[in-house]
Amino acid sequence: MKSKLIFDGAEKTHAVIMDSGDEAFHELTEFAHRNYLRAAHLTGIGAVSGVVLGYFDWERKIYRHIPVDQQLEVISLVGDFALDGDEPKLHAHIVVAKADGTAMGGHLIEAHVRPTLEVIVTESPAHLCRYSDAETGLALIRL
């Protein structure tokens, strides 16, 4: 993974470029730690050799994992970072397309980049914090 600060204003903007073999969720989380992100949003496109999507099962209060083990185009990657305690936590959704054009999407659990994933991360000037929601067990943003 490579990154570069491409705009340094009230909202800093970073380009994060991943290469074949990188695991996107891990790399983005590491990027957030290295850059002390307190609040940010991201968008991305590219391709992956496989993903694990998540679908929140309301009854069981867990994410069901949906593995898709094939070459896929990343049609859309969107998400945010907010503090969970002192740690930046990534919450992202991804839509991927198969060779026949059918799309699948869900919560980003894991994505193995091949050949590239291009992500733009924009920091917010104020930080966001997460709290543990008693009803869902999820770490939700509190404004």
Side-chain angles (χ1 to χ4, degrees):
M1 180 202 65
K2 300 173 283 301
S3 66
K4 182 177 183 177
L5 180 64
I6 57 175
F7 181 74
D8 192 5
E11 291 186 334
K12 293 181 179 179
T13 304
H14 305 263
V16 178
I17 310 301
M18 289 177 235
D19 300 313
S20 286
D22 288 342
E23 195 287 301
F25 192 93
H26 171 77
E27 294 293 341
L28 288 167
T29 300
E30 287 298 311
F31 172 81
H33 279 95
R34 280 194 307 276
N35 289 278
Y36 308 103
L37 296 185
R38 301 175 63 77
H41 61 275
L42 63 89
T43 60
I45 57 171
V48 295
S49 62
V51 297
V52 177
L53 304 172
Y55 176 80
F56 188 69
D57 184 326
W58 180 256
E59 299 302 319
R60 297 177 59 207
K61 306 293 190 261
I62 62 167
Y63 280 98
R64 289 193 339 224
H65 287 198
I66 305 162
V68 185
D69 190 24
Q70 59 186 275
Q71 186 66 27
L72 303 157
E73 289 290 322
V74 176
I75 304 307
S76 179
L77 172 64
V78 295
D80 61 52
F81 287 101
L83 290 179
D84 188 3
D86 292 332
E87 299 292 317
K89 183 169 183 170
L90 174 61
H91 178 206
H93 289 201
I94 189 168
V95 178
V96 294
K98 298 178 180 180
D100 66 1
T102 58
M104 298 182 72
H107 187 84
L108 174 64
I109 304 293
E110 189 176 304
H112 299 277
V113 177
R114 186 172 65 192
T116 190
L117 187 63
E118 304 161 352
V119 181
I120 301 299
V121 178
T122 304
E123 292 184 63
S124 300
H127 69 276
L128 298 172
C129 293
R130 293 191 180 275
Y131 72 99
S132 181
D133 179 64
E135 183 179 11
T136 64
L138 298 173
L140 303 178
I141 291 177
R142 174 170 299 174
L143 296 176

